[in-house]
Amino acid sequence: MHDAWSSTLEATGRIELSDSKNLWGGRFTGEADRGFVDFNRSFGFDRRLFAVDVRASLAHCNSLASAGVLSGEEAKKITEGLQTILDRGIADPGYFDLDESEDVHSFVESRLVELIGDPGRKLHTGRSRNDQVATDLRLWLRDAIDDLVQRVAATQGALLDLAESHLEAVLPGYTHLQRAQPILFAHWCLAYFEMFSRDYERLVDCRKRVNILPLGSAALAGTSYPIDRESVARELGFDSVSRNSIDAVSDRDFCVEFVSASSLIMVHLSRLAEDVILYSTTEFGFFELSDAVATGSSLMPQKKNPDSMELVRGKAGRVFGHNTSLLAMLKGLPLAYNKDMQEDKEAVFDSFDTVRSCLDVSATVLRNVRLNEDQMRAAATKGYLNATELADYLVSKGMPFRDAHETVGRAVVRAMQRGIELQEFSIDELQSLSQLIQQDVFEVLTLKSALATKAQRGGTAPDTVAAALAKARSTLLG
Ligand code: ARG
């Protein structure tokens, strides 16, 4: 049906009319512009909510039947219809392709009306797409979080396996990317394990605020039908029901929390990627990536490129972008629902997809990396990584730390001039720096001692690391 205004615009070529059907036709006399219809549609991406949308509709139907709003017969028809739609959607991905629905909610409702006729037109009683979409997204995200925590744990498992199979390996620890102090390779693995433990906890914590039922808030004011929200929550596995209908339909904090938690996972994966990339260069020579996760060069035959880790590092940026776009989208929105919020889904979906694939690829890289332990050990024993040990030795003999620092600094300069390491000085040379130095200094300057003395909780001493590793393993299993 065209009104005069649309006809005028159409005649002047300023709009192109669409013949699409929608859920809110009654109020309108004019047709929508085709460009706008496409612009407005979310079905291209929110079809991912299909299964949870049907599940939530099944629960809504039950609650309407219990409240006496639907007859038993109507509820039965709706339930069977929804089940048929769900089965078909799962079995046949092409089911969605030719459809021009505005969004997943209108898609399911149209299919239901096609299938069972009038009772299908009653399903939307007492509900709005505003509480419906919030419910769907929470259901979807709950599953997504459950999936990701498993993958975070799998990546942690890969780190522990790697550490446990290289208990003797050492490498130089760096600060400012300058050789600093020797560390156990397992200690390095456990550093990443810790980051992922926090990520795991953040996801689990975020899930608590995801798992609250908005359905029953309707458009914004709450529903006038006597549905039992608690029982809907139980049926859908929510922990509780939302306490304020206005907030329930306009809250997307849970999306921001999820994408922020995802951003930190990407920060950690990206740092891991950077370490692995550096350590796999000829310059470092500590790691060799498996052929399974590297690529060659189309031109330079000798190349083995760490594309897997570079993509993980690169993809971090997309998730940070989603985090920013969600915050910017929500900021300044008046209460309650606004269509701006439709932009939430792609940010959430793509963050999930990205984190999921990056965790998987990183775990594969870790499971297949080869260590060049000789090279790692050589690097950990060259470049004065034991200078701090010498300073601590002088402190143990009574010298104030500041003076010890100064003395060792001079020793390093001298060693550099002669192209030797500190342990290669003769005892006389060392004593010319300080009379406090005795023969026992050479033991202190060994790699073994440098590691063994870091025996406080959290340090890199082999026994301490072995205990930390065992603890990490039991946390992961527990
Ligand atoms: N596709 C919409 C979204 O994702 C569903 C909710 C629409 N609600 C509305 N009042 N137009 O947010």
Side-chain angles (χ1 to χ4, degrees), residues 24 40-43 45-46 49 102-105 128-134 252 337-345:
W24 29 261
N40 195 37
R41 288 178 83 214
S42 52
F43 192 48
F45 50 87
D46 71 12
L49 298 175
E102 180 185 332
D103 56 26
V104 66
H105 324 293
S128 154
R129 278 185 297 162
N130 299 351
D131 57 348
Q132 190 178 2
V133 73
R252 292 294 182 274
Y337 177 84
N338 297 270
K339 195 60 172 269
D340 314 46
M341 289 158 68
Q342 179 165 287
E343 294 288 311
D344 58 4
K345 279 168 277 303

